[in-house]
Structure formats: C-alpha cells, structure tokens
C-alpha cells in the first residue's frame, strides 16, 4: 500500500477545508459531513477557528483509499497564518492546491505556487466551486496555464483522447519521442512526469456538493507513487505543540528506518559513542570554535532523550502505536529539546 503525506493549500475562502471534509467523508474517515459555515468542520476544531470560519493551525487526518494510506495536512489559507502553512511543506510528498472557480488564480495563490516550486513538491490542482454561476472550465484552464504553469493539464474526463496525450507528450522530450513512435503514453510515464513537476493534473468540481471529488480521489490514487527511504533512522521535525493536558508534542515525519517507543534519539551527527541498538538521529551536529559539539545550525548542545509515546493524530483524536515506519507523520512525547 502506498503511504503518502499530502498537504492541502489554498487562498482563503477557496474551499480548502470543505474539500478536506468531503475527502474524509467519501473515504469513510468521518461519518458526518461538517461545514465551515456550520462551525462543525472535522479539522477546524479550535474554538477561534470555528468562530471565524478560517483555518489557523495546520491539522492532520489519516484516510485510506484504494491502495493509498494518506496523511492529509490541512494548512491555513489566510495570509496572516502563512508561516504555519509553510512549516508543513518540508514533509509533503504531494500537494493539493485548491482554486476558487469564481476567482481563478489570486495573488496568494501565486505565492503558494512559488513556495511549492521552492520545496519541489508535485502538485495536483482542484478547481472548486464549479457549481456557481459564471464559472467556465476552458477559461479557467487558460488562467491556470497563464498564471501558474503551461503544463497544467485537464485530467477530469478526457484522459482517453488524442489531445490529452499530446498535451502530456509535449511536457517532456523523452516522452514525446515515445509518443511519436508508439502513439500512446504509459501511465508510469505520466506518474513520473507528475512526480518531477513536469505535469500538473487539474480537476474540477464542487467540494460543498461533493461533485468531482470522487474523480479527484481516483486521480490521486492512480497518478501518485510512494517515495523510497533509507534503512537508517532519520526524522524531520516540523512542528512543536502541546496537547490539552499540556504535554509537549514533537511532530515529525520519519524519513528513514523506523522509530519505536523508548528509543533514545539524539541530534548528534554520529551515534558511535552511544550504547545500545535503539538509537536514532534527528539532525547533524557541528562544532563551535572551541571544539564543543553543537546541534545543527544552532548554539544548542548535543542532547539525547527517549521517546515516551508515539501518537498518530486524526483531527483532535489520536491512537498510540509502538512503532512507526518511514513515510509516517506522527507526534511524540518525551522530547524537551527539539525544534522545527
């Protein structure tokens, strides 16, 4: 089963949280469909978020669909909370960029697009609110190609046409040559082009009415691939928070090997001087001018701490597990010196 970490981003009021809600409902993760305007969205669970109808803190939910296990990270759309959004980008395998079909590409959308390019994240585009009067699919495709990338391609329902394959083929010289020889393009080639940010699949629908969301999910399942990870343990920390009881939570993505409860982890570069086999590394260390070991990029000393608990969050709820493998996003307790 593919294990993916996918972030969902948008300009404010594009319907990002509504799309997340529809995805979770259609995949059976939630039994009741919440709404932002009804103040009962699954991922907008802080009181201020529900009162204002916006996402302020990044949240995560886990869902399964076909051969995928997805950790979905919902990020703030309002520009005032863009720092909270950007911290999640470093752990994403793919991103969903939601566009308001009534407005097209907006200023903050282009900022998000630049950030996704900087972090080299493959992007799927969902053009939302297509049920509203005045939305035009052809005009919106022109808008996406002009303001985002000319390799934005409509994947909705024309994947068997010659025009679709021609649009794909011109995005890469090697694929074009294969297309000219064989008259077709293999799915594996399209998946690779998407992963390399040479093609950006575009889907259209209405998240509120759950129109086109199932087609979009089918596209995610068919056109994505898992990343490869090394056997040696590593982790990328992207967020520090506290739970309702005040426990300090270190949110991380496992980037190699696996992590077990009670594992001793450190920010030192080498673990040769540590005893035991259950030792992991989070970051490299450097030395100051006096030769004292320092953690990577900071003036903090090397530390070693044990993981007390590993949590897999979905909304406000979580399950505890004894071990997590590479590709998993989790929150751990017991660490007091970690930082993003």
């Amino acid at each position: 089963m593919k294990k993916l970490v996918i972030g969902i981003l948008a300009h404010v009021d594009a319907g990002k949280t509504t799309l997340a809600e529809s995805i979770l409902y259609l995949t059976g993760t939630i039994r009741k469909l919440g709404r932002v305007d009804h103040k009962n969205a699954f991922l907008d669970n802080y009181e201020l978020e529900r009162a204002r109808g916006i996402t302020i803190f990044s949240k995560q939910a886990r869902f399964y669909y076909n051969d995928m296990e997805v950790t979905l990270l919902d990020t703030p759309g309002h520009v005032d909370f863009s720092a909270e959004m950007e911290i999640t980008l470093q752990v994403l395998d793919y991103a969903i960029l939601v566009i308001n079909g009534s407005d097209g590409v907006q200023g903050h959308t282009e900022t998000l697009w630049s950030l996704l390019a900087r972090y080299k994240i493959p992007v799927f585009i969902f053009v939302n609110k297509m049920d509203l009067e005045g939305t035009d699919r052809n005009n919106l495709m022109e808008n996406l190609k002009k303001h985002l990338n000319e390799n934005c391609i409509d994947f909705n329902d024309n994947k068997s046409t010659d025009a679709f394959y021609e649009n794909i083929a011109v995005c890469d010289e090697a694929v074009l040559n294969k297309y000219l020889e064989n008259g077709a393009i293999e799915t594996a080639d399209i998946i690779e082009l998407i992963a390399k940010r040479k093609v950006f699949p575009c889907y259209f629908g209405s998240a509120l009415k759950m129109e086109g969301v199932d087609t979009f999910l089918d596209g995610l399942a068919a056109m994505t691939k898992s990343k490869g990870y090394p056997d040696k343990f590593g982790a990328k920390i992207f967020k520090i928070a506290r739970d309702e009881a005040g426990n300090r939570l270190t949110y991380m993505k496992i980037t190699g090997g696996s992590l077990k409860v009670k594992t001793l982890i450190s920010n030192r570069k080498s673990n040769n001087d540590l005893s035991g086999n259950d030792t992991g590394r989070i970051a490299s260390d450097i030395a100051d001018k006096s030769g004292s070991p320092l953690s990577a990029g900071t003036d903090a000393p090397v530390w070693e701490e044990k993981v007390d608990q590993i949590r897999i969050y979905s909304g406000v709820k979580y399950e505890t597990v004894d071990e997590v493998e590479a590709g998993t996003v989790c929150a751990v307790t017991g660490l007091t010196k970690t930082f993003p």
Side-chain angles (χ1 to χ4, degrees), residues 27-63:
T27 56
T29 306
I30 57 177
R31 295 182 178 180
K32 183 179 179 181
L33 190 63
R35 287 177 53 163
V36 174
D37 54 344
H38 291 174
K39 303 181 180 181
N40 61 352
F42 180 73
L43 289 171
D44 281 349
N45 42 51
Y46 286 89
E47 183 177 349
L48 185 58
E49 290 178 313
R50 291 187 168 180
R52 296 186 60 183
I54 59 173
T55 301
I56 298 174
F57 303 103
S58 61
K59 318 283 192 340
Q60 73 181 62
R62 187 168 57 166
F63 71 85

Side-chain angles (χ1 to χ4, degrees), residues 185-198:
I185 301 175
E186 295 181 3
T187 300
D189 290 330
I190 300 176
I191 292 172
E192 194 64 28
L193 290 177
I194 294 169
K196 291 180 177 179
R197 288 181 47 86
K198 292 185 176 182

Side-chain angles (χ1 to χ4, degrees), residues 184-219:
I185 301 175
E186 295 181 3
T187 300
D189 290 330
I190 300 176
I191 292 172
E192 194 64 28
L193 290 177
I194 294 169
K196 291 180 177 179
R197 288 181 47 86
K198 292 185 176 182
V199 167
F200 303 97
C202 301
Y203 295 82
F204 296 79
S206 169
L208 185 62
K209 296 185 177 180
M210 289 192 293
E211 296 173 354
V213 181
D214 52 352
T215 301
F216 180 62
L217 282 169
D218 288 339

Side-chain angles (χ1 to χ4, degrees), residues 4-9 72 88-98 112-126 148-149 151-152 155 189-203 216 219-220 223-227 229 253:
L4 301 174
V5 180
I6 301 178
I8 183 165
L9 302 87
L72 185 68
T88 67
L89 297 185
Q90 60 190 307
V91 298
L92 299 184
D93 299 322
Y94 291 87
I96 299 168
L97 182 63
V98 185
L112 293 172
W113 188 259
S114 298
L115 286 170
L116 292 166
R118 181 190 304 173
Y119 286 91
K120 301 179 181 179
I121 301 170
V123 183
F124 284 73
I125 296 171
F126 185 83
L148 299 183
N149 192 290
N151 290 353
C152 291
F155 269 61
D189 290 330
I190 300 176
I191 292 172
E192 194 64 28
L193 290 177
I194 294 169
K196 291 180 177 179
R197 288 181 47 86
K198 292 185 176 182
V199 167
F200 303 97
C202 301
Y203 295 82
F216 180 62
L220 281 178
M223 297 294 168
T224 53
K225 65 175 186 175
S226 294
K227 281 191 172 182
Y229 296 97
K253 179 184 181 182

